[in-house]
Amino acid sequence: MEVDCQPEETLVSSSDEDCIDLGGVKDMRLEAEAIVNDVLFAVAQMHVSHCLNCALDVAYINVETKERNQYCLELTEAGLRVVGYAFDQVNEDVNTQYHETVYSLLDSLSPGYREAFGNALLQRLERLKQNGR
């Protein structure tokens, strides 16, 4: 089943009650926000979907790579995987592997991500070297 969200079909509740942390269970929406903040520098754009349903056990992230390819990612306890090839799209026919980290997933999707990540790492090492003198 393919799900595309039109602006008038917003599925997210207007309240944050659906996305709270309950007794040690990870709130995947909060995890998704942390993931976005961590790798935003190395992609063209990335944000947590406000269109697809939020739940404690699943969140969706839209990402556009440096190569301008768009993906909808699903985040669960099992990890991250591609579930669609456009923003806010979940296609149940897409059967991709789970990745433990966003770094692994993006590394498999985007040479531009690898380059940006490598450059950022080199810059940080250079700063550490300069500050260590």
Side-chain angles (χ1 to χ4, degrees), residues 9-64:
E9 296 175 4
T10 301
L11 301 173
V12 174
S13 164
S14 60
S15 123
D16 285 337
E17 289 179 291
D18 296 333
C19 301
I20 57 174
D21 189 4
L22 297 176
V25 175
K26 287 184 182 176
D27 180 342
M28 288 300 153
R29 185 161 182 89
L30 294 176
E31 292 288 319
E33 291 288 352
I35 287 169
V36 169
N37 290 333
D38 200 30
V39 297
L40 189 58
F41 73 94
V43 295
Q45 62 175 306
M46 188 175 198
H47 60 275
V48 176
S49 175
H50 297 289
C51 184
L52 298 172
N53 277 336
C54 169
L56 281 176
D57 61 344
V58 65
Y60 296 94
I61 301 170
N62 294 316
V63 62
E64 183 176 326

Side-chain angles (χ1 to χ4, degrees), residues 43-131:
V43 295
Q45 62 175 306
M46 188 175 198
H47 60 275
V48 176
S49 175
H50 297 289
C51 184
L52 298 172
N53 277 336
C54 169
L56 281 176
D57 61 344
V58 65
Y60 296 94
I61 301 170
N62 294 316
V63 62
E64 183 176 326
T65 64
K66 297 277 188 185
E67 296 80 18
R68 299 295 181 210
N69 297 319
Q70 292 187 349
Y71 301 94
C72 183
L73 310 178
E74 174 189 76
L75 172 64
T76 66
E77 284 289 331
L80 286 143
R81 70 183 184 113
V82 173
V83 292
Y85 297 99
F87 284 179
D88 298 315
Q89 180 188 76
V90 176
N91 184 337
E92 290 180 8
D93 294 331
V94 173
N95 188 16
T96 57
Q97 78 176 52
Y98 282 97
H99 292 261
E100 287 186 31
T101 67
V102 68
Y103 315 110
S104 170
L105 184 137
L106 288 173
D107 190 62
S108 72
L109 295 176
S110 172
Y113 165 79
R114 276 193 300 272
E115 184 178 344
F117 189 86
N119 288 340
L121 184 59
L122 286 173
Q123 289 173 2
R124 180 157 184 171
L125 289 172
E126 210 38 58
R127 281 195 305 267
L128 288 172
K129 182 180 173 184
Q130 289 172 357
N131 291 338

